[in-house]
Amino acid sequence: MTLTYLPWHRPSSYDERPCVRDERTELDYRAFGARVEAAAEHLAARGVGRGSVVAVMLPNQVELLVAIMAAWRLGAAATPVNPTFTAAESGHQISDAGAVLVIDADNVAELPTTPAGTLPPAETAPGDLALLVYTSGSTGRPKGVMLDHANLAAMIASMREGIQAGPDDHCLLVLPLFHVNAICVSFLTPISVGAQLTVLQRFHPVDFLGAIERYRPTYFSAVPTIYSHLVALPAEVTADVSSVRFAICGAAPAPPELFAAAEERFGFPLVEGYGLSEGTCASTCNPVDGVRKPGTVGPALPGQVVAIMAPDGTLLGAGERGEVVVKGDNVMRGYLRRPEATAEALGDGWLHTGDVGILDDDGYLRIVDRIKDMIIRGGENIYPKEIENVLHGGAGVLEAAVVGAPDPLYGEVPAAFVSARPGAEIDVDALLARCREELTKIKVPVAVHVLDVLPKNPVGKIDKPALRARVAGA
């Protein structure tokens, strides 16, 4: 297995090709490799070696990528930490990961840029631990997902073939780099083929369109919230986005109407994918060139198997509803020091996603909902995503989320939260009427709460635990 995303394995023909840039720095492949070597020397002098863990707690910038690669150069692993975390949140991750060093805003300037040539040759092996990515913690304390270099190489090969990435591609990286999506799809995949990436520190709709016009990327990966903000921009806000050959949407469910609106406004195809950190990022994706089925997250990516499993462990056929399970070399090694959680997720040889889905006759996956998000109303199973899709079609609705509210008679009932598009107002009575028209009575929300903004977790997903706490408190 060749780990082609590592600077010390790159072909010499890449040396002068553009590699990575942010608002302050621009490096070709030779210069990026030199930065990594110099940073690795710096880390080695501070006790980092094979088997160590380095915590990297930085906003999106070139130095973050250099620091991760420098850890790998020494046979160490990296754990990317959300730079907006509180001391308690970051302290838990750094301690749980056993990090021997933290690279943050206070010491990143100490990283040298010119190597002295003091390190022995790199000996990075596929089985070496590469990343400790911490789950969002929506079901408890965050757990460290152990991903080795074999996992990363498998994911990159899968994604590279799936999106047909080549040396002429240019990715605009906008998602936070403490998340595996940004690391794998926007960073490692392009540099594995000699392509380039431009790193944005944050997202702002108008500035993002300006960055596309300025840097001329060929693709980018984002979450539904970003596309919602882009399509909500006033019609007079325009930009030349003709360089973009496709964009990826993932990390959270998105209604088909959002895809149609984005494609109509910007002209490039928007492909929806699906995956988990435990699967190193993505397991399915609608094809860039091929049949894209709205409402699905596409077929399995190359090198992976996606199936639907019944509660008794049998695999189900097309059209049957059950838990989505995944197999492939991209599936994690396990959770750090969590043998019970690892056995629960991987014990039968499949990665159990906790998502409910259906495969059609062509192998395209439709996500019905999270098993844990399912609302049980008087013994009847209700999937919030079905209700959310109806709400998204309502006039003026930007975002929608449905959670179970406590009920003394039925146990729980659906309650909805929505936010409005800029300049729009939401007619709650009209929304409820739409729900009554399109949903059976038990699925109609008992209330629709209008918020200025729906709460989000650190990776941009709607924070349903916070919404559940809100309705429980009410």
Side-chain angles (χ1 to χ4, degrees):
M1 178 179 291
T2 304
L3 308 179
T4 57
Y5 54 91
L6 300 173
W8 45 99
H9 289 315
R10 76 177 186 275
S12 59
S13 59
Y14 291 179
D15 283 355
E16 296 178 3
R17 295 181 65 91
C19 181
V20 59
R21 71 179 59 78
D22 59 19
E23 296 172 356
R24 299 171 297 104
T25 306
E26 183 165 354
L27 303 173
D28 61 19
Y29 275 82
R30 180 188 286 113
F32 180 68
R35 288 279 188 103
V36 169
E37 192 75 8
E41 292 172 350
H42 178 81
L43 300 189
R46 281 149 185 80
V48 177
R50 179 167 293 279
S52 298
V53 176
V54 177
V56 184
M57 189 173 175
L58 294 169
N60 280 14
Q61 60 189 92
V62 165
E63 288 81 1
L64 189 160
L65 306 178
V66 168
I68 290 175
M69 285 286 189
W72 293 347
R73 171 67 175 83
L74 300 172
T79 186
V81 185
N82 183 345
T84 68
F85 269 179
T86 64
E89 291 169 322
S90 60
H92 165 74
Q93 180 172 338
I94 292 165
S95 173
D96 189 73
V100 300
L101 183 69
V102 180
I103 300 175
D104 58 18
D106 293 332
N107 61 24
V108 67
E110 298 174 7
L111 293 179
T113 58
T114 303
T118 59
L119 295 179
E123 297 181 353
T124 316
D128 289 347
L129 184 64
L131 288 174
L132 278 172
V133 177
Y134 277 71
T135 60
S136 59
S138 60
T139 57
R141 293 301 292 271
K143 301 187 292 291
V145 175
M146 297 189 291
L147 303 175
D148 58 28
H149 283 285
N151 293 143
L152 297 187
M155 184 70 257
I156 293 164
S158 190
M159 181 58 62
R160 189 169 58 221
E161 184 177 346
I163 65 173
Q164 301 164 29
D168 294 330
D169 272 313
H170 178 181
C171 180
L172 187 62
L173 190 160
V174 65
L175 294 178
L177 275 161
F178 56 81
H179 191 259
V180 75
N181 185 314
I183 293 173
C184 287
V185 178
S186 300
F187 172 40
L188 298 180
T189 295
I191 70 166
S192 73
V193 292
Q196 60 179 305
L197 69 148
T198 295
V199 179
L200 300 182
Q201 190 167 109
R202 62 185 61 86
F203 172 77
H204 182 277
V206 175
D207 293 345
F208 182 74
L209 291 181
I212 292 178
E213 192 166 69
R214 175 183 176 188
Y215 295 114
R216 311 299 294 157
T218 61
Y219 80 95
F220 62 90
S221 179
V223 295
T225 300
I226 285 178
Y227 294 107
S228 294
H229 284 299
L230 290 174
V231 300
L233 286 170
E236 60 268 22
V237 178
T238 61
D240 180 1
V241 298
S242 59
S243 66
V244 180
R245 66 182 182 93
F246 71 96
I248 302 171
C249 184
E257 293 86 355
L258 178 60
F259 288 83
E263 292 192 16
E264 180 180 358
R265 174 154 188 173
F266 300 110
F268 49 75
L270 187 59
V271 297
E272 187 170 15
Y274 162 80
L276 286 75
S277 298
E278 289 87 341
T280 318
C281 181
S283 289
T284 73
C285 191
N286 271 282
V288 175
D289 296 313
V291 177
R292 301 196 305 277
K293 296 188 179 184
T296 80
V297 291
L301 283 166
Q304 300 187 50
V305 178
V306 174
I308 304 298
M309 184 176 285
D312 64 2
T314 59
L315 298 183
L316 302 173
E320 296 188 89
R321 176 179 294 184
E323 184 181 15
V324 181
V325 292
V326 177
K327 271 187 181 179
D329 291 338
N330 56 296
V331 172
M332 68 171 178
R333 183 189 296 183
Y335 295 113
L336 180 67
R337 294 191 297 277
R338 303 286 184 91
E340 292 181 0
T342 298
E344 184 179 351
L346 304 175
D348 60 358
W350 291 90
L351 169 61
H352 286 256
T353 67
D355 288 312
V356 181
I358 300 171
L359 288 170
D360 70 12
D361 290 333
D362 299 318
Y364 282 64
L365 176 65
R366 180 164 65 87
I367 299 296
V368 176
D369 223 316
R370 289 287 297 169
I371 290 174
K372 290 182 172 64
D373 283 350
M374 187 174 68
I375 299 166
I376 304 176
R377 180 192 182 277
E380 294 284 344
N381 294 345
I382 297 174
Y383 294 94
K385 188 169 183 286
E386 182 181 2
I387 306 170
E388 290 161 1
N389 286 341
V390 174
L391 293 169
H392 274 120
V397 174
L398 176 65
E399 293 181 305
V402 174
V403 297
D407 184 87
L409 179 60
Y410 296 106
E412 56 182 353
V413 291
F417 292 84
V418 297
S419 65
R421 296 183 182 277
E425 291 188 5
I426 292 178
D427 184 334
V428 170
D429 290 337
L431 263 188
L432 286 170
R434 176 183 175 85
C435 289
R436 293 187 192 100
E437 183 179 334
E438 298 194 25
L439 299 167
T440 58
K441 184 177 179 180
I442 65 168
K443 298 177 184 177
V444 175
V446 296
V448 175
H449 306 279
V450 181
L451 304 181
D452 291 338
V453 179
L454 298 193
K456 308 292 191 308
N457 69 16
V459 296
K461 298 181 183 180
I462 292 173
D463 189 349
K464 287 196 171 183
L467 295 177
R468 290 191 194 98
R470 186 170 180 140
V471 295

